[in-house]
Amino acid sequence: MDVDAFVLAHRDTWDRLEDLIRRRRRLTGAEADELVDLYQRVSTHLSMVRSSAGDSALVGRLSTLVARARAAVTGAHAPLRREFVRFWTVSFPVVAYRARYWWLGTTAAFFAVAILIAVWVSHNPDVQAAIGTPAEIAQIVDHDFESYYSDHPAGLFALQVWTNNAWLAVICVAFSVLLGLPIPYVLFLNAANLGVMAGLMAGAGKTSFMLGLLIPHGLLELSAVFLAAAVGMRLGWSVIAPGDRPRVQVLAEQGRAVVAVAAGLVVMLFISGLLEALVTPSPLPTAMRIAIGVAAEALFIGYIWHFGRRAERAGDSGDLADAPDVVPTG
């Protein structure tokens, strides 16, 4: 099937059905009959696309339209519980899964920068001297780094951590409207900060101590930030290189997908904030704290892989508009 020709031939029909759905409470008798007829025709179009075109974006769009038309014709409304489940088993994981190469690339680039800076700082006394006096550096590595996780009540600290990390993720998502161009700079600043701290700790022989404090919450926390950055940059690239589809259509679809990720990251960052407030400063053995962090990360990656791959194979685009009546917000 020539997807472009098919879209061109039937776009007016889809637009007309969209218009009737929007005005479903004010339709005349003739328009109500037309709504039913168009619903049946577009259902046929959806079956044709699913069987021969393999265009997941077009399938998602027509699935949305058919679902909304069905609700308008039958008067049915999707239960909130069903849409909540769909969000966590389809919308969020499939968008994350489809951005997996951007996600992996972002992760690799971030740690490459952080490691290079850490090595540079740890092996260069002049750089350390430019960062602070020996007394100031000793204060950081011997006291401030650890006390950051334990000097505040756990509940308040969890809220503070969640707010800070959520803000960083929101910045990455928001920069997608600028084609994602500022996102690498934001990531570089954070990688540099991590690299400087890691370099100071390594120079003091406290690398293991630092990792024992960072890994319990940092794996999940950084995964969230990297995912936000990945989908933001992917959105920007899809606008620059939309392929054979209209740029406006690609922007709309990818933009709604970014919203799905943003909603999912709210919960993801809340969990990492709890880990940072409750597990990282806890008196548990370091190995156990690290094991908890690794387990949380493994569960998250497994969740994305399982549900995301399944949804992609089913041709689901992850567009929030796939939900006919209720848009989940996490």
Side-chain angles (χ1 to χ4, degrees):
M1 174 187 291
D2 186 329
V3 175
D4 291 336
F6 186 83
V7 171
L8 186 62
H10 300 292
R11 180 182 295 162
D12 291 342
T13 300
W14 304 338
D15 291 344
R16 175 58 176 167
L17 179 58
E18 180 76 34
D19 178 63
L20 292 174
I21 293 171
R22 283 198 298 266
R23 298 189 294 108
R24 61 185 179 276
R25 300 185 186 279
R26 303 186 304 276
L27 298 180
T28 64
E31 288 176 330
D33 292 339
E34 183 184 6
L35 173 61
V36 175
D37 177 63
L38 292 180
Y39 161 57
Q40 295 172 338
R41 289 164 61 185
V42 176
S43 296
T44 301
H45 296 164
L46 175 59
S47 298
M48 294 170 62
V49 172
R50 278 178 169 164
S51 62
S52 57
D55 187 315
S56 61
L58 184 56
V59 169
R61 177 186 177 188
L62 293 182
S63 296
T64 299
L65 192 56
V66 168
R68 294 177 60 210
R70 182 186 303 114
V73 169
T74 64
H77 296 278
L80 179 61
R81 180 175 60 84
R82 189 179 72 185
E83 294 307 324
F84 178 82
V85 172
R86 185 187 187 282
F87 175 79
W88 290 109
T89 58
V90 176
S91 301
F92 175 55
V94 76
V95 173
Y97 181 79
R98 294 177 69 187
R100 60 191 180 279
Y101 297 119
W102 286 85
W103 193 4
L104 181 61
T106 299
T107 302
F110 181 93
F111 281 114
V113 171
I115 291 172
L116 286 174
I117 292 178
V119 172
W120 179 51
V121 171
S122 64
H123 289 84
N124 196 324
D126 293 336
V127 174
Q128 296 179 27
I131 295 173
T133 65
E136 290 172 339
I137 293 176
Q139 175 70 18
I140 292 173
V141 300
D142 294 333
H143 178 267
D144 293 352
F145 187 83
E146 180 180 12
S147 64
Y148 170 78
Y149 299 102
S150 57
D151 279 356
H152 305 283
L156 179 62
F157 185 58
L159 178 61
Q160 178 185 348
V161 169
W162 177 82
T163 303
N164 291 339
N165 294 332
W167 176 244
L168 178 57
V170 165
I171 289 175
C172 290
V173 170
F175 278 149
S176 64
V177 301
L178 301 177
L179 304 183
L181 296 178
I183 294 177
Y185 177 69
V186 172
L187 292 175
F188 174 81
L189 291 180
N190 284 272
N193 288 335
L194 177 61
V196 168
M197 181 57 67
L200 293 178
M201 296 295 287
K206 293 194 172 185
T207 300
S208 298
F209 176 74
M210 178 193 70
L211 294 177
L213 289 175
L214 289 181
I215 290 178
H217 66 274
L219 293 177
L220 194 60
E221 176 181 288
L222 289 176
S223 290
V225 173
F226 297 156
L227 178 56
V231 296
M233 290 187 290
R234 184 171 183 257
L235 171 61
W237 181 253
S238 68
V239 175
I240 295 173
D244 58 357
R245 292 186 294 145
R247 183 171 278 105
V248 174
Q249 177 187 349
V250 173
L251 177 61
E253 292 168 354
Q254 292 295 326
R256 288 189 294 265
V258 168
V259 172
V261 167
L265 290 181
V266 170
V267 175
M268 188 177 167
L269 288 170
F270 177 73
I271 294 173
S272 71
L274 289 178
L275 291 174
E276 188 165 358
L278 301 176
V279 176
T280 297
S282 73
L284 293 172
T286 300
M288 185 174 295
R289 288 187 281 110
I290 290 177
I292 292 173
V294 171
E297 176 72 1
L299 286 173
F300 175 67
I301 297 299
Y303 154 73
I304 294 296
W305 183 266
H306 173 72
F307 289 105
R309 183 173 62 168
R310 185 177 69 176
E312 186 183 53
R313 288 180 173 178
D316 202 301
S317 67
D319 193 331
L320 276 181
D322 285 347
D325 288 318
V326 181
V327 178
T329 59

